[in-house]
Amino acid sequence: MTTTPTHTDTPRIVTVRQNILKANDHVAAGNRTTFAQHNLRVLNLTSSPGAGKTALLERTLQDLSPSTRLAVAVGDLATENDAARLRRHGVQAEQIVTGTVCHLDAGMVRDVLPRFDLPSLDVLLLENVGNLVCPASYDLGETARVVLLSTTEGEDKPLKYPTIFNTADVVVVTKMDLAPHVGYDRAAALDNIDRARPGVKVIEVSSRTGEGLDAWYAFVHGR
Amino acid sequence: MTTTPTHTDTPRIVTVRQNILKANDHVAAGNRTTFAQHNLRVLNLTSSPGAGKTALLERTLQDLSPSTRLAVAVGDLATENDAARLRRHGVQAEQIVTGTVCHLDAGMVRDVLPRFDLPSLDVLLLENVGNLVCPASYDLGETARVVLLSTTEGEDKPLKYPTIFNTADVVVVTKMDLAPHVGYDRAAALDNIDRARPGVKVIEVSSRTGEGLDAWYAFVHGR
């Protein structure tokens, strides 16, 4: 049996939420216009905590910069750790501290843009807060939304978090080097991804061994 | 540099949120009274998606039931998968489908309680939605809050998600059998946990090998 939650004040929550989302979509459209003006490719990277977003970004910066001109904005509830990790690779990385907010929104991205010299960039990578729920509802104005799924998380996650997988332009399966150690069931994972988002492109990588990164880099470049 | 998010309608969001939280705390207090009347120990298990909550629960049911009388309520956005997995062990497992809501709240728990025969139970396990942000703010009326951290997620998570770690009564480090494969830095993880929640009890386990489960079972029994 299944219980549907009954909130005392559901109608009010929904109304406010819809207003926020409308305001967010308006700002996201502005961001999208800005990105188009500068011919800038912008990727919104989402996943659960610890799926390997920062590791994939580190490897990407190391391998593609400076021939591709990259920069990163990183969202986290607290700490500057990720931006500091990424700056070691000689690219600009700005931290967006969200406090108790469980996702980036378009306004946070708009507010960080003046720190970047957009005309000098090819690709801007937005690392969202580690969360498989909240970021699904917030368009940032990105060119493409990337959802990461690690082999250590369990193959059922696309079915358990359908909203975020259903909005993915590409699903990157990370930590492929750990697949044998965790009994990863590749067929089940791919099937569940396809059920959540039929036909979506899947790229399987290991940021540690380099497996599959060529396909990921082609996506970063929009090829 | 750090950007603090500026929402157009922050005051309204905060007001509504505070009202929801007050209503939630009221319901949570009612749940707590109910649990006390039945001398029932209730654990609220939280973690990021894929940290191993369901695997730990499966192993716990297998090892402790029926000598300890256990039951489970499982929160998920979608699917009955987890409740089905847990029922195989011969205990009652009820699914709470939260839809787009990223956490359990006290009302959802109150509404599922009539399905259980509370006087016949020793321990009720509440498996929260996989999320390191939202569940932090919602008291369910539980006896203790358990936060799981897997060795595959990265040692920095307690610093990046301080709110949930700061409300933990115990932190369970899971997937200890994978620690050597992922280069898990135990000293850093324990240090970060202690910085987020000074003095908190830490239990290190592997649901696969059984390592550390005696300490976890002692906690389940309230010893």
PDB file of all heavy atoms in Angstrom, chain B residues 42-65:
ATOM      1  N   VAL B  42      12.206   4.464  17.943  1.00  0.00           N
ATOM      2  CA  VAL B  42      11.999   4.852  16.545  1.00  0.00           C
ATOM      3  C   VAL B  42      13.261   5.527  16.020  1.00  0.00           C
ATOM      4  O   VAL B  42      13.735   6.515  16.593  1.00  0.00           O
ATOM      5  CB  VAL B  42      10.790   5.803  16.402  1.00  0.00           C
ATOM      6  CG1 VAL B  42      10.582   6.192  14.942  1.00  0.00           C
ATOM      7  CG2 VAL B  42       9.529   5.152  16.961  1.00  0.00           C
ATOM      8  N   LEU B  43      13.815   4.981  14.947  1.00  0.00           N
ATOM      9  CA  LEU B  43      15.047   5.528  14.364  1.00  0.00           C
ATOM     10  C   LEU B  43      14.742   6.129  13.001  1.00  0.00           C
ATOM     11  O   LEU B  43      14.077   5.498  12.175  1.00  0.00           O
ATOM     12  CB  LEU B  43      16.100   4.423  14.219  1.00  0.00           C
ATOM     13  CG  LEU B  43      16.465   3.672  15.505  1.00  0.00           C
ATOM     14  CD1 LEU B  43      17.561   2.650  15.229  1.00  0.00           C
ATOM     15  CD2 LEU B  43      16.891   4.642  16.608  1.00  0.00           C
ATOM     16  N   ASN B  44      15.237   7.340  12.769  1.00  0.00           N
ATOM     17  CA  ASN B  44      15.062   8.070  11.507  1.00  0.00           C
ATOM     18  C   ASN B  44      16.369   7.971  10.732  1.00  0.00           C
ATOM     19  O   ASN B  44      17.366   8.594  11.109  1.00  0.00           O
ATOM     20  CB  ASN B  44      14.699   9.521  11.843  1.00  0.00           C
ATOM     21  CG  ASN B  44      14.606  10.436  10.633  1.00  0.00           C
ATOM     22  OD1 ASN B  44      14.654   9.981   9.484  1.00  0.00           O
ATOM     23  ND2 ASN B  44      14.481  11.730  10.891  1.00  0.00           N
ATOM     24  N   LEU B  45      16.398   7.179   9.671  1.00  0.00           N
ATOM     25  CA  LEU B  45      17.639   6.953   8.904  1.00  0.00           C
ATOM     26  C   LEU B  45      17.706   7.886   7.702  1.00  0.00           C
ATOM     27  O   LEU B  45      16.850   7.815   6.809  1.00  0.00           O
ATOM     28  CB  LEU B  45      17.706   5.502   8.417  1.00  0.00           C
ATOM     29  CG  LEU B  45      18.252   4.476   9.420  1.00  0.00           C
ATOM     30  CD1 LEU B  45      17.187   4.121  10.443  1.00  0.00           C
ATOM     31  CD2 LEU B  45      18.755   3.234   8.706  1.00  0.00           C
ATOM     32  N   THR B  46      18.738   8.696   7.654  1.00  0.00           N
ATOM     33  CA  THR B  46      18.908   9.641   6.558  1.00  0.00           C
ATOM     34  C   THR B  46      20.284   9.456   5.927  1.00  0.00           C
ATOM     35  O   THR B  46      21.223   9.028   6.577  1.00  0.00           O
ATOM     36  CB  THR B  46      18.802  11.098   7.064  1.00  0.00           C
ATOM     37  OG1 THR B  46      19.923  11.367   7.900  1.00  0.00           O
ATOM     38  CG2 THR B  46      17.529  11.324   7.865  1.00  0.00           C
ATOM     39  N   SER B  47      20.377   9.799   4.639  1.00  0.00           N
ATOM     40  CA  SER B  47      21.667   9.756   3.936  1.00  0.00           C
ATOM     41  C   SER B  47      21.454  10.250   2.524  1.00  0.00           C
ATOM     42  O   SER B  47      20.318  10.480   2.102  1.00  0.00           O
ATOM     43  CB  SER B  47      22.223   8.329   3.877  1.00  0.00           C
ATOM     44  OG  SER B  47      21.570   7.585   2.865  1.00  0.00           O
ATOM     45  N   SER B  48      22.529  10.372   1.770  1.00  0.00           N
ATOM     46  CA  SER B  48      22.404  10.656   0.342  1.00  0.00           C
ATOM     47  C   SER B  48      21.881   9.401  -0.367  1.00  0.00           C
ATOM     48  O   SER B  48      21.908   8.308   0.206  1.00  0.00           O
ATOM     49  CB  SER B  48      23.751  11.090  -0.227  1.00  0.00           C
ATOM     50  OG  SER B  48      24.690  10.072  -0.066  1.00  0.00           O
ATOM     51  N   PRO B  49      21.390   9.560  -1.596  1.00  0.00           N
ATOM     52  CA  PRO B  49      20.922   8.373  -2.321  1.00  0.00           C
ATOM     53  C   PRO B  49      22.072   7.381  -2.500  1.00  0.00           C
ATOM     54  O   PRO B  49      23.190   7.776  -2.812  1.00  0.00           O
ATOM     55  CB  PRO B  49      20.497   8.935  -3.686  1.00  0.00           C
ATOM     56  CG  PRO B  49      20.236  10.387  -3.448  1.00  0.00           C
ATOM     57  CD  PRO B  49      21.210  10.792  -2.388  1.00  0.00           C
ATOM     58  N   GLY B  50      21.798   6.122  -2.260  1.00  0.00           N
ATOM     59  CA  GLY B  50      22.799   5.101  -2.532  1.00  0.00           C
ATOM     60  C   GLY B  50      23.856   4.919  -1.468  1.00  0.00           C
ATOM     61  O   GLY B  50      24.853   4.238  -1.699  1.00  0.00           O
ATOM     62  N   ALA B  51      23.661   5.496  -0.287  1.00  0.00           N
ATOM     63  CA  ALA B  51      24.652   5.315   0.776  1.00  0.00           C
ATOM     64  C   ALA B  51      24.476   3.974   1.480  1.00  0.00           C
ATOM     65  O   ALA B  51      25.328   3.578   2.282  1.00  0.00           O
ATOM     66  CB  ALA B  51      24.564   6.452   1.793  1.00  0.00           C
ATOM     67  N   GLY B  52      23.360   3.302   1.191  1.00  0.00           N
ATOM     68  CA  GLY B  52      23.197   1.959   1.740  1.00  0.00           C
ATOM     69  C   GLY B  52      22.190   1.836   2.867  1.00  0.00           C
ATOM     70  O   GLY B  52      22.291   0.904   3.677  1.00  0.00           O
ATOM     71  N   LYS B  53      21.205   2.720   2.917  1.00  0.00           N
ATOM     72  CA  LYS B  53      20.180   2.626   3.970  1.00  0.00           C
ATOM     73  C   LYS B  53      19.403   1.316   3.860  1.00  0.00           C
ATOM     74  O   LYS B  53      19.218   0.613   4.846  1.00  0.00           O
ATOM     75  CB  LYS B  53      19.165   3.796   3.852  1.00  0.00           C
ATOM     76  CG  LYS B  53      19.731   5.156   4.176  1.00  0.00           C
ATOM     77  CD  LYS B  53      18.641   6.238   4.170  1.00  0.00           C
ATOM     78  CE  LYS B  53      18.013   6.459   2.801  1.00  0.00           C
ATOM     79  NZ  LYS B  53      18.959   6.787   1.717  1.00  0.00           N
ATOM     80  N   THR B  54      18.935   1.012   2.643  1.00  0.00           N
ATOM     81  CA  THR B  54      18.103  -0.184   2.488  1.00  0.00           C
ATOM     82  C   THR B  54      18.926  -1.447   2.711  1.00  0.00           C
ATOM     83  O   THR B  54      18.448  -2.401   3.335  1.00  0.00           O
ATOM     84  CB  THR B  54      17.436  -0.198   1.092  1.00  0.00           C
ATOM     85  OG1 THR B  54      16.863   1.092   0.840  1.00  0.00           O
ATOM     86  CG2 THR B  54      16.332  -1.229   1.031  1.00  0.00           C
ATOM     87  N   ALA B  55      20.165  -1.457   2.253  1.00  0.00           N
ATOM     88  CA  ALA B  55      21.029  -2.626   2.477  1.00  0.00           C
ATOM     89  C   ALA B  55      21.256  -2.838   3.970  1.00  0.00           C
ATOM     90  O   ALA B  55      21.209  -3.980   4.464  1.00  0.00           O
ATOM     91  CB  ALA B  55      22.365  -2.435   1.752  1.00  0.00           C
ATOM     92  N   LEU B  56      21.485  -1.760   4.717  1.00  0.00           N
ATOM     93  CA  LEU B  56      21.684  -1.886   6.164  1.00  0.00           C
ATOM     94  C   LEU B  56      20.402  -2.389   6.833  1.00  0.00           C
ATOM     95  O   LEU B  56      20.443  -3.248   7.722  1.00  0.00           O
ATOM     96  CB  LEU B  56      22.113  -0.541   6.767  1.00  0.00           C
ATOM     97  CG  LEU B  56      22.373  -0.547   8.278  1.00  0.00           C
ATOM     98  CD1 LEU B  56      23.530  -1.475   8.648  1.00  0.00           C
ATOM     99  CD2 LEU B  56      22.635   0.867   8.801  1.00  0.00           C
ATOM    100  N   LEU B  57      19.258  -1.874   6.390  1.00  0.00           N
ATOM    101  CA  LEU B  57      17.991  -2.324   6.968  1.00  0.00           C
ATOM    102  C   LEU B  57      17.742  -3.803   6.658  1.00  0.00           C
ATOM    103  O   LEU B  57      17.321  -4.564   7.530  1.00  0.00           O
ATOM    104  CB  LEU B  57      16.833  -1.469   6.440  1.00  0.00           C
ATOM    105  CG  LEU B  57      16.783  -0.044   6.994  1.00  0.00           C
ATOM    106  CD1 LEU B  57      15.616   0.728   6.380  1.00  0.00           C
ATOM    107  CD2 LEU B  57      16.636  -0.071   8.522  1.00  0.00           C
ATOM    108  N   GLU B  58      18.022  -4.214   5.427  1.00  0.00           N
ATOM    109  CA  GLU B  58      17.819  -5.624   5.065  1.00  0.00           C
ATOM    110  C   GLU B  58      18.635  -6.534   5.973  1.00  0.00           C
ATOM    111  O   GLU B  58      18.129  -7.512   6.503  1.00  0.00           O
ATOM    112  CB  GLU B  58      18.252  -5.863   3.615  1.00  0.00           C
ATOM    113  CG  GLU B  58      17.264  -5.371   2.595  1.00  0.00           C
ATOM    114  CD  GLU B  58      17.548  -5.996   1.227  1.00  0.00           C
ATOM    115  OE1 GLU B  58      18.358  -5.416   0.486  1.00  0.00           O
ATOM    116  OE2 GLU B  58      16.985  -7.051   0.917  1.00  0.00           O
ATOM    117  N   ARG B  59      19.902  -6.183   6.137  1.00  0.00           N
ATOM    118  CA  ARG B  59      20.781  -6.992   6.974  1.00  0.00           C
ATOM    119  C   ARG B  59      20.304  -6.997   8.429  1.00  0.00           C
ATOM    120  O   ARG B  59      20.329  -8.013   9.119  1.00  0.00           O
ATOM    121  CB  ARG B  59      22.204  -6.426   6.855  1.00  0.00           C
ATOM    122  CG  ARG B  59      23.245  -7.149   7.652  1.00  0.00           C
ATOM    123  CD  ARG B  59      23.664  -8.452   6.984  1.00  0.00           C
ATOM    124  NE  ARG B  59      24.424  -9.264   7.926  1.00  0.00           N
ATOM    125  CZ  ARG B  59      25.603  -9.815   7.649  1.00  0.00           C
ATOM    126  NH1 ARG B  59      26.151  -9.673   6.476  1.00  0.00           N
ATOM    127  NH2 ARG B  59      26.233 -10.533   8.553  1.00  0.00           N
ATOM    128  N   THR B  60      19.825  -5.827   8.882  1.00  0.00           N
ATOM    129  CA  THR B  60      19.352  -5.691  10.265  1.00  0.00           C
ATOM    130  C   THR B  60      18.121  -6.567  10.497  1.00  0.00           C
ATOM    131  O   THR B  60      18.024  -7.280  11.508  1.00  0.00           O
ATOM    132  CB  THR B  60      19.026  -4.208  10.553  1.00  0.00           C
ATOM    133  OG1 THR B  60      20.198  -3.422  10.327  1.00  0.00           O
ATOM    134  CG2 THR B  60      18.547  -4.012  11.982  1.00  0.00           C
ATOM    135  N   LEU B  61      17.198  -6.545   9.556  1.00  0.00           N
ATOM    136  CA  LEU B  61      15.986  -7.360   9.688  1.00  0.00           C
ATOM    137  C   LEU B  61      16.341  -8.838   9.695  1.00  0.00           C
ATOM    138  O   LEU B  61      15.825  -9.633  10.490  1.00  0.00           O
ATOM    139  CB  LEU B  61      15.022  -7.064   8.538  1.00  0.00           C
ATOM    140  CG  LEU B  61      14.546  -5.618   8.404  1.00  0.00           C
ATOM    141  CD1 LEU B  61      13.577  -5.483   7.226  1.00  0.00           C
ATOM    142  CD2 LEU B  61      13.902  -5.119   9.686  1.00  0.00           C
ATOM    143  N   GLN B  62      17.263  -9.201   8.798  1.00  0.00           N
ATOM    144  CA  GLN B  62      17.687 -10.588   8.680  1.00  0.00           C
ATOM    145  C   GLN B  62      18.319 -11.086   9.988  1.00  0.00           C
ATOM    146  O   GLN B  62      18.051 -12.191  10.427  1.00  0.00           O
ATOM    147  CB  GLN B  62      18.696 -10.663   7.533  1.00  0.00           C
ATOM    148  CG  GLN B  62      19.216 -12.033   7.166  1.00  0.00           C
ATOM    149  CD  GLN B  62      20.341 -11.884   6.124  1.00  0.00           C
ATOM    150  OE1 GLN B  62      20.160 -11.242   5.083  1.00  0.00           O
ATOM    151  NE2 GLN B  62      21.504 -12.440   6.420  1.00  0.00           N
ATOM    152  N   ASP B  63      19.138 -10.244  10.613  1.00  0.00           N
ATOM    153  CA  ASP B  63      19.892 -10.674  11.796  1.00  0.00           C
ATOM    154  C   ASP B  63      19.092 -10.541  13.092  1.00  0.00           C
ATOM    155  O   ASP B  63      19.314 -11.308  14.028  1.00  0.00           O
ATOM    156  CB  ASP B  63      21.192  -9.856  11.922  1.00  0.00           C
ATOM    157  CG  ASP B  63      22.204 -10.209  10.833  1.00  0.00           C
ATOM    158  OD1 ASP B  63      21.989 -11.204  10.120  1.00  0.00           O
ATOM    159  OD2 ASP B  63      23.208  -9.483  10.708  1.00  0.00           O
ATOM    160  N   LEU B  64      18.199  -9.570  13.191  1.00  0.00           N
ATOM    161  CA  LEU B  64      17.544  -9.300  14.478  1.00  0.00           C
ATOM    162  C   LEU B  64      16.124  -9.831  14.583  1.00  0.00           C
ATOM    163  O   LEU B  64      15.611 -10.037  15.680  1.00  0.00           O
ATOM    164  CB  LEU B  64      17.534  -7.791  14.768  1.00  0.00           C
ATOM    165  CG  LEU B  64      18.881  -7.094  14.888  1.00  0.00           C
ATOM    166  CD1 LEU B  64      18.690  -5.681  15.395  1.00  0.00           C
ATOM    167  CD2 LEU B  64      19.821  -7.863  15.807  1.00  0.00           C
ATOM    168  N   SER B  65      15.445  -9.985  13.440  1.00  0.00           N
ATOM    169  CA  SER B  65      14.057 -10.437  13.473  1.00  0.00           C
ATOM    170  C   SER B  65      14.031 -11.956  13.431  1.00  0.00           C
ATOM    171  O   SER B  65      14.864 -12.561  12.744  1.00  0.00           O
ATOM    172  CB  SER B  65      13.316  -9.859  12.263  1.00  0.00           C
ATOM    173  OG  SER B  65      12.025 -10.394  12.164  1.00  0.00           O
TER     174      SER B  65
END
